[in-house]
Amino acid sequence: MTKFLLSIHVLAAILAIGPIAIAASMFPRFGRQLAARTHPRETAHVPPGAEPPGAEEGTAALLHRICRVYAVVGIVVPVFGIATGKQLGVLTDAWLITSIILTVLAAALLGFVILPAQERLLDTGADSSPEKARLVAARLGMVTGVFNLLWAVVVVLMIVRPGSTTGV
């Protein structure tokens, strides 16, 4: 049963957290492009290989939707992680407690900082300040980097399991 739970936990982490990490990392670029756009739907000639005017808005909306949907799906990761930890008898180990704390911090960053900032950039209209939107995009890029760093530390803790005496 432990191997089954661990398999679901790892697959869920790859399939849920991975897309969030990638989409959230890509979003600030398109957010900056939205902020820099002075005319919402320019109709100028588009050179071959270039994105048509307004494409950044659709791309940014898609990336935000990926983050939002996979955030809900990502709840499976800690659920199966805790079930696996219980089966292994390691729920009180420092590496697991640290991983849980870092996961909660990453979830809080996603839910209370990253997703709202993405929404603010998507709602940027012609009346908003491009400078303010650029600052939001820059801050979003930094926070997304911290989010991804938290997940990288959690992955290392899950693999190395400092102080653990159990083998899987």
Side-chain angles (χ1 to χ4, degrees):
M1 184 65 154
T2 302
K3 290 182 180 185
F4 171 75
L5 291 172
L6 182 59
S7 296
I8 298 297
H9 172 65
V10 171
L11 282 171
I14 292 168
L15 297 175
I17 307 304
I20 295 170
I22 299 300
S25 295
M26 292 174 64
F27 187 94
R29 171 186 169 220
F30 294 97
R32 281 190 293 276
Q33 289 177 356
L34 281 172
R37 189 176 69 204
T38 54
H39 298 80
R41 298 275 183 217
E42 296 170 350
T43 56
H45 174 69
V46 179
E51 292 182 10
E56 66 275 355
E57 189 173 352
T59 303
L62 174 64
L63 293 171
H64 174 64
R65 183 173 183 190
I66 289 169
C67 291
R68 203 177 61 237
V69 169
Y70 280 89
V72 174
V73 174
I75 294 169
V76 170
V77 176
V79 168
F80 278 92
I82 289 171
T84 303
K86 184 176 179 185
Q87 283 284 332
L88 290 171
V90 296
L91 285 179
T92 58
D93 286 10
W95 65 270
L96 186 59
I97 293 169
T98 303
S99 294
I100 291 169
I101 291 168
L102 294 176
T103 298
V104 169
L105 288 173
L109 274 179
L110 181 63
F112 297 116
V113 180
I114 294 172
L115 292 175
Q118 288 178 347
E119 288 171 9
R120 278 195 304 280
L121 284 170
L122 286 172
D123 292 339
T124 301
D127 297 333
S128 17
S129 160
E131 185 58 34
K132 183 178 179 186
R134 278 193 288 276
L135 288 173
V136 170
R139 182 172 180 254
L140 178 59
M142 179 202 60
V143 173
T144 300
V146 171
F147 172 80
N148 287 333
L149 182 61
L150 288 171
W151 281 116
V153 172
V154 168
V155 168
V156 170
L157 285 171
M158 293 287 153
I159 293 169
V160 175
R161 298 180 316 189
S164 177
T165 58
T166 61
V168 177

